[in-house]
Amino acid sequence: MDYMQKVSEMLAEKFDEIPLANVVTFGCAQNENDSEKIRGLLYKLGYSMTDSLEKSDIVIYNTCAIRENAELKIFGNIGKLKALKAANPYMIVAVCGCMVMQPHIVDKIKKSYPFVDIVFGVNALELLPQLIYSCYSENKKQILSPQERTQIVENTPMLRSAKPKASISIMFGCDNFCSYCIVPYVRGRERSRKPENILREFRQLVAEGYKDITLLGQNVNSYGKNLEEKVDFADLLALLCTVPGDYVIHFMSSHPKDINKKVIDTIRDNPKISRQIHLPVQSGNDRILKLMNRRYTIRQYLDIIDYAKQQIPGVTFSSDIIVGFPGETFEEYLDTEELVKKVRFTQLFTYIYSKRNGTKAAEMEDNISHEEKAKWLNRLIKIQQDIVFEHLDSYTGKTVKALVEEKHGDMYTARLENTFLAKFASDTDFSGEFVNLKITGKRGTALTAELIK
Ligand code: SAH
Ligand code: SF4
Ligand code: F3S
């Protein structure tokens, strides 16, 4: 708080006009949730937000380390800031987030990108006012070396993106150590927020009119494990559903090893919870799942899906898949195709395996060329596209509830619970509201619909 005041005064002195800040998110939903906190802090300090890099007085790149191409893209973007910085000497360039939790990356920034003024990792957001202060007052770079910070900071101000969507981080970090994944190394050990703090934030969002609220964690199904009180994810869901109002709750990600019948039953019993479940499977082959350290078999995965389908009418699933894990054969990849055809996901996020230094999988032998893996990925994308088209067709004639997101002229787009988009015409502006739609067909990857008055 001391630094907040000092920085506000310093900025008022330094800038004739309101200084502008640009916070760019490169990672996942949790990364974006952190960006909303960074924007909240900057706003309190006296900055206004801008999308323009040229006009920015501070640019903050909130980075991701999940795959090599994410990191390459970020370095490309940082490189472009050099000229801007030269044109505006007051400009601060800051890099934060998952990527700079790796010592070799911080070294690279120091060496090759000397115009970067501030570096701070995950869980260090609240240090930002202090870092800006020291950067200006000492005229010195503030590069924090990666360091695990385990505290949970409540009540960080947030500048959220536009209604009706919002997210709440219910937990931080990850303890699962899937053998391909960098997240546990950069986000640290798993910690859950107290249910009462989550409930307070949730109530506030509903009161402000947010209608689509996503609970975030790397593995929401292990929520509560480190808390003193006995509370699990299903209890948390049930608790939040007691808040009156018109809203839908989503959550991500679920881990198939930890999702259980209690969670499914809680979804069944609470219509405010989305009927679409994101359940990343990663591979359709048991040997590969074992090498990935996922700790479930395809039989167990299908069993929980079957149970959910029995209990929750109309439930749909989305998933993440990695193709080309070290040692994966074409035959083993074909098991993934088979699984995808069997479950018929409504949405699939597919990735080619990317080697992450420091992970177990990075030490495994990998003989398949990138080119070959790209072929497998394309096959999978094609299969999934056909499945999505069939899902879309199955909606024709149905009546659905959807949340209106955007307006283009007199056409609106609304999102169904399972994330499909429907386009419809309306004279009345229903932006941010739930509407009932009758689906008339599909155009491209979206549905067409008529508003039911
Ligand atoms: N905690 C979440 C996902 C976090 S990362 C979960 O377990 O579901 C999002 C997705 O990125 C993962 O599900 C995985 O499919 C993909 N991913 C993670 N590490 C990867 C790597 N090294 N190469 C390619 N994809 C990866
Ligand atoms: Fe990564 Fe696995 Fe943790 Fe997800 S559960 S963040 S894939 S280690
Ligand atoms: Fe998310 Fe990327 Fe970090 S996926 S947790 S921002 S490594």
Side-chain angles (χ1 to χ4, degrees):
M1 290 314 282
D2 276 0
Y3 281 102
M4 299 283 284
Q5 184 64 28
K6 282 190 199 167
V7 176
S8 300
E9 285 164 13
M10 186 185 248
L11 293 177
E13 228 167 76
K14 231 180 187 53
F15 294 96
D16 296 335
E17 290 170 32
I18 294 177
L20 297 176
N22 187 350
V23 182
V24 186
T25 307
F26 286 93
C28 61
Q30 212 148 41
N31 198 233
E32 176 57 27
N33 188 275
D34 284 346
S35 289
E36 292 179 354
K37 291 182 177 131
I38 296 169
R39 290 188 195 106
L41 283 166
L42 291 169
Y43 185 73
K44 285 256 156 154
L45 292 174
Y47 287 94
S48 277
M49 300 305 128
T50 175
D51 289 333
S52 153
L53 288 174
E54 286 79 11
K55 291 186 187 151
S56 301
D57 298 297
I58 183 165
V59 175
I60 301 191
Y61 280 169
N62 192 9
T63 62
C64 172
I66 201 81
R67 281 169 289 274
E68 191 185 12
N69 54 11
E71 294 190 341
L72 292 175
K73 183 175 153 201
I74 293 163
F75 276 119
N77 277 278
I78 299 175
K80 286 188 204 149
L81 293 177
K82 188 178 175 182
L84 292 179
K85 169 100 183 168
N88 176 1
Y90 273 155
M91 184 194 218
I92 289 183
V93 171
V95 183
C96 67
C98 292
M99 190 178 82
V100 293
M101 290 302 283
Q102 305 168 95
H104 73 278
I105 296 278
V106 177
D107 288 344
K108 181 169 168 178
I109 291 178
K110 279 191 197 158
K111 213 168 126 217
S112 309
Y113 301 85
F115 53 91
V116 172
D117 303 292
I118 294 178
V119 170
F120 60 104
V122 170
N123 307 325
L125 306 184
E126 77 286 356
L127 298 180
L128 182 59
Q130 185 178 340
L131 294 170
I132 296 176
Y133 182 80
S134 306
C135 184
Y136 274 139
S137 64
E138 296 166 23
N139 197 15
K140 199 167 142 241
K141 291 204 273 183
Q142 304 293 318
I143 314 283
L144 299 188
S145 44
Q147 142 190 109
E148 192 178 337
R149 294 163 53 88
T150 52
Q151 85 292 12
I152 292 182
V153 180
E154 291 291 343
N155 302 319
T156 308
M158 286 181 91
L159 198 61
R160 294 184 181 271
S161 44
K163 281 177 206 153
K165 282 186 174 187
S167 65
I168 301 182
S169 285
I170 62 165
M171 57 207 293
F172 305 95
C174 181
D175 283 351
N176 290 301
F177 291 93
C178 301
S179 63
Y180 51 81
C181 185
I182 195 79
V183 172
Y185 303 91
V186 294
R187 288 235 162 215
R189 298 289 57 74
E190 183 184 291
R191 290 142 290 147
S192 298
R193 284 174 71 196
K194 289 189 177 148
E196 58 269 30
N197 291 335
I198 298 170
L199 180 63
R200 191 178 334 110
E201 187 174 344
F202 187 84
R203 271 213 181 98
Q204 177 77 29
L205 289 176
V206 173
E208 286 175 20
Y210 287 94
K211 293 203 156 60
D212 180 301
I213 301 172
T214 303
L215 309 179
L216 298 176
Q218 295 302 340
N219 173 8
V220 291
N221 301 111
S222 64
Y223 172 79
K225 276 192 183 153
N226 67 308
L227 291 174
E228 271 169 27
E229 56 204 290
K230 235 178 136 282
V231 56
D232 63 16
F233 183 58
D235 300 332
L236 178 72
L237 281 174
L239 174 73
L240 298 180
C241 287
T242 60
V243 175
D246 196 14
Y247 56 80
V248 56
I249 300 179
H250 298 269
F251 52 85
M252 63 187 282
S253 287
S254 278
H255 196 305
K257 83 177 162 61
D258 291 315
I259 194 168
N260 55 26
K261 289 187 174 174
K262 186 176 168 191
V263 171
I264 303 295
D265 294 349
T266 308
I267 300 172
R268 177 196 63 204
D269 298 340
N270 289 284
K272 284 173 175 165
I273 305 173
S274 165
R275 267 56 193 142
Q276 157 113 338
I277 304 175
H278 185 59
L279 199 58
V281 65
Q282 313 299 357
S283 163
N285 177 274
D286 283 341
R287 188 184 80 91
I288 297 299
L289 286 176
K290 200 164 170 47
L291 287 174
M292 287 177 163
N293 192 30
R294 290 290 287 181
R295 288 174 276 170
Y296 52 83
T297 62
I298 288 304
R299 184 68 265 147
Q300 287 163 333
Y301 185 82
L302 291 173
D303 281 350
I304 194 77
I305 291 215
D306 283 346
Y307 182 74
K309 283 184 174 166
Q310 278 165 26
Q311 298 298 318
I312 310 168
V315 69
T316 55
F317 292 89
S318 57
S319 203
D320 296 349
I321 282 178
I322 297 176
V323 303
F325 184 82
E328 186 176 28
T329 63
F330 182 62
E331 284 67 35
E332 287 167 331
Y333 155 76
L334 289 178
D335 289 342
T336 300
E337 282 192 4
E338 199 187 316
L339 181 87
V340 165
K341 288 180 191 159
K342 199 177 273 173
V343 181
R344 300 174 52 75
F345 299 104
T346 45
Q347 204 178 17
L348 204 55
F349 300 89
T350 48
Y351 310 100
I352 294 179
Y353 166 75
S354 171
K355 181 176 168 180
R356 304 283 66 207
N357 284 335
T359 63
K360 279 261 157 56
E363 292 153 25
M364 298 178 191
E365 207 171 328
D366 190 357
N367 298 321
I368 309 283
S369 69
H370 188 83
E371 210 182 4
E372 181 65 19
K373 292 180 184 184
K375 276 191 207 154
W376 301 359
L377 183 80
N378 287 334
R379 283 176 63 120
L380 195 60
I381 290 173
K382 174 79 186 54
I383 291 167
Q384 178 59 19
Q385 248 168 16
D386 292 343
I387 293 171
V388 168
F389 285 140
E390 285 163 26
H391 275 298
L392 289 168
D393 283 335
S394 74
Y395 276 87
T396 306
K398 280 189 186 158
T399 300
V400 296
K401 186 178 170 185
L403 185 57
V404 182
E405 281 189 354
E406 274 180 35
K407 184 181 177 197
H408 301 280
D410 55 0
M411 289 300 287
Y412 291 83
T413 51
R415 204 166 283 278
L416 276 59
E417 225 170 74
N418 69 1
T419 74
F420 284 163
L421 274 180
K423 299 190 175 176
F424 67 101
S426 170
D427 305 332
T428 318
D429 188 349
F430 287 108
S431 301
E433 303 288 327
F434 285 107
V435 290
N436 288 317
L437 298 175
K438 182 163 173 147
I439 305 297
T440 52
K442 71 168 191 292
R443 194 178 305 143
T445 52
L447 296 161
T448 53
E450 282 167 5
L451 183 69
I452 300 176
K453 293 268 176 339

